[in-house]
Structure formats: structure tokens, C-alpha cells
Amino acid sequence: MQQIARNKVFGGWQKRYRHQSQVLGCEMVFSVFLPPQAERGPVPVLYWLSGLTCDDQNFVTKAGAQRYAAEYGLAVVAPDTSPRGNDVPDDDAWDVAKGAGFYLNATEAPWSQHYRMYDYIVEELPVLINETQPVDATKCGIFGHSMGGHGALTIALKNTERYHSVSAFSPICAPMQCPWGEKAFNLYLGPDQSTWQKYDASVLIAEVDTKMPLLIDQGTADDFLSAQLKPELLQAACDACNHPLTLRMQPGYDHSYYFVSSFIGDHIKHHADALCAL
């Protein structure tokens, strides 16, 4: 693992690293914010998953999360959104392939060799973080935006023993029922929709025994709201199984990081309240 950037911010350190991923079969880059409290010992850790076309730097430079993470004493890990490199298959469309890994394990050629973002986020990256950074792996949360919100919800629901808090901004709530999800799932997983269900939060919610409270913020002026995001379907699924969900429809906000930065403090407090109580 090679450190490629290091900046002091709000008393902590924003760092960036490069490493060779065995799971993805390519070189990957990720960022880590360490709050000042990390100098005294291990701190709780949050994983942030970004959206379509993004990488780790969108969140690091636009969300304004470091101020709040420093206040509450949380480390924040921001990985890339997909495998990268000349040997990694790509597509001319912006909503699949590089920058659009959808946080799943692809089973269809040629994607299955590299597009295994689920295993990277859940298995490989946390091992690397736990071995090299001053974090407390028993106090771990996950959150994200758009495609990353989808990833955060599905990963948390499938791994309730590992993640103790979850939240999302403008998540793709029912990918089996929207154009983005249908396109990506067909490409990466094939036409058998029974294989899609394990990556759809609106389906998974009925299968979990641990009812971890969900916090979702959604802007009412989001251009993708009705066609792609569909929070009403996740709300209905949560209501059907009595799963706690706080869905906040924020008037006038869109899909951008202006929206994320406006409410990032609330989300980090949501995670801090859960993780620091452990």
C-alpha cells in the first residue's frame, strides 16, 4: 500500500492510498480521513460509497464531512466506485462499467473477472484498513450517495453483524424496478432476475432479522427521483415488515453534492450516536 497524498484538516489527516487489489485484479485508490482522536487510539470507522461516474475524490473534496468526523471522532474511508485500469472491461455508456460498479459481484463475462465490488468493500478493503489504520473494527458503519446509497443499504442489510449503522443520500432504492438497475443487473448478473434480488434493498428488507434503523435523505427537486430512485418502494417495504426508516424529503434539493454537504452533519451524527454507544 502506497500513500499518495496527505493533508491536515480540522485537526486530523486526510490521506489517499494506492494498492493492488487481489479481488478486483487491478490497482485501486481509496481515501481515509483520520480524526485527531485517532492519535490517542482506535476510533469507529465509516465507509462512504459514492455514486455513478464518481471516484473517492468527489466525497473528499465536496461533502464537507471532515469537520463533523473530527467533531465526533470517526474515521471515514472512501473507496472508488469500480475497478480501473487498461485491462478492465469498459462500456461507452456512463451508467455501466468503469465508474459504475454497483457494489455487486458480477457473474457474467467479461465483467466477472474484475467487477467484484461487493467483495472488495465487504472483505478485502476492511482487512487492509483494519491492519494499517487506527480504527476499531467492532464499531463500523456505512453510508453513501445514489448508486453508493444503494450499495450502502444492500451491504448493511446483508451484513448486520458487521455494520451497526447505515444511512444514504438519494439511494437507488429498488434497482430491479428502475432503468439504471435493470441495465446494470442484466449486464453484470444476466437475465435471471432471481439473482438480482440479493442486491435490491426493497427486497432484502423483508429478509433481515436485525432491524437496524435506516436514515435516508432525498431531495424533492432531484431529476432522478421518480424514474430511478423510487424511495416510496423502500418505504412500503419497510412499512410491510415494520423496519424502522426515517425518510426525509428535503424540499428544493437536487442530486448534487450541494445537497449532500447540506445534511452530511446529520448523517455523521446518526452514525456517531449508534457506534459510540457500542
Side-chain angles (χ1 to χ4, degrees):
M1 189 172 75
Q2 176 190 5
Q3 181 176 290
I4 56 177
R6 182 173 182 263
N7 299 95
K8 188 84 169 181
V9 55
F10 290 105
W13 290 99
Q14 182 66 61
K15 301 181 179 183
R16 200 176 191 213
Y17 295 93
R18 179 184 294 117
H19 78 110
Q20 185 67 30
S21 168
Q22 299 304 311
V23 167
L24 303 178
C26 64
E27 190 174 78
M28 292 293 286
V29 172
F30 65 88
S31 293
V32 181
F33 172 72
L34 295 176
Q37 294 88 335
E39 296 181 1
R40 301 192 294 271
V43 295
V45 58
L46 297 179
Y47 286 82
W48 169 268
L49 305 184
S50 291
L52 290 165
T53 74
C54 293
D55 60 19
D56 61 300
Q57 289 298 284
N58 297 78
F59 173 76
V60 168
T61 61
K62 295 180 179 181
Q66 294 92 340
R67 171 186 174 184
Y68 303 101
E71 178 182 348
Y72 291 108
L74 304 179
V76 184
V77 180
D80 204 344
T81 53
S82 79
R84 307 277 181 172
N86 294 332
D87 296 332
V88 174
D90 202 2
D91 192 281
D92 291 336
W94 63 272
D95 53 355
V96 291
K98 291 182 183 178
F102 269 84
Y103 304 103
L104 51 74
N105 287 337
T107 57
E108 299 295 298
W111 316 102
S112 56
Q113 181 179 356
H114 296 282
Y115 284 77
R116 302 186 62 81
M117 286 299 293
Y118 178 88
D119 280 354
Y120 178 70
I121 298 299
V122 175
E123 302 294 343
E124 185 178 33
L125 184 58
V127 169
L128 188 62
I129 294 298
N130 297 341
E131 290 178 348
T132 63
Q133 306 297 317
V135 301
D136 183 346
T138 68
K139 299 179 178 181
C140 181
I142 190 166
F143 61 153
H145 173 232
S146 194
M147 178 187 71
H150 141 76
L153 292 173
T154 55
I155 286 173
L157 292 171
K158 289 163 66 68
N159 298 276
T160 55
E161 78 288 349
R162 181 173 304 188
Y163 303 95
H164 302 287
S165 60
V166 60
S167 71
F169 292 86
S170 312
I172 304 172
C173 292
M176 293 179 66
Q177 301 182 62
C178 77
W180 280 343
E182 291 173 1
K183 181 177 182 179
F185 286 3
N186 264 301
L187 190 73
Y188 296 141
L189 303 174
D192 182 1
Q193 294 194 10
S194 67
T195 66
W196 300 6
Q197 295 180 2
K198 60 183 177 180
Y199 299 112
D200 188 315
S202 65
V203 174
L204 290 171
I205 203 73
E207 302 174 3
V208 296
D209 295 326
T210 302
K211 296 187 181 297
M212 188 183 344
L214 311 181
L215 170 63
I216 293 176
D217 272 313
Q218 172 64 60
T220 62
D222 191 323
D223 290 339
F224 304 115
L225 175 56
S226 60
Q228 304 285 8
L229 306 180
K230 301 182 181 293
E232 70 279 2
L233 297 182
L234 182 59
Q235 179 75 73
C238 287
D239 290 346
C241 62
N242 198 31
H243 193 108
L245 165 64
T246 300
L247 173 60
R248 308 193 306 185
M249 300 300 295
Q250 303 290 3
Y253 285 90
D254 57 21
H255 199 72
S256 71
Y257 268 89
Y258 292 113
F259 167 53
V260 172
S261 65
S262 297
F263 300 100
I264 193 70
D266 291 351
H267 282 245
I268 291 181
K269 183 181 186 300
H270 165 80
H271 291 278
D273 289 345
L275 299 179
C276 294
L278 295 175

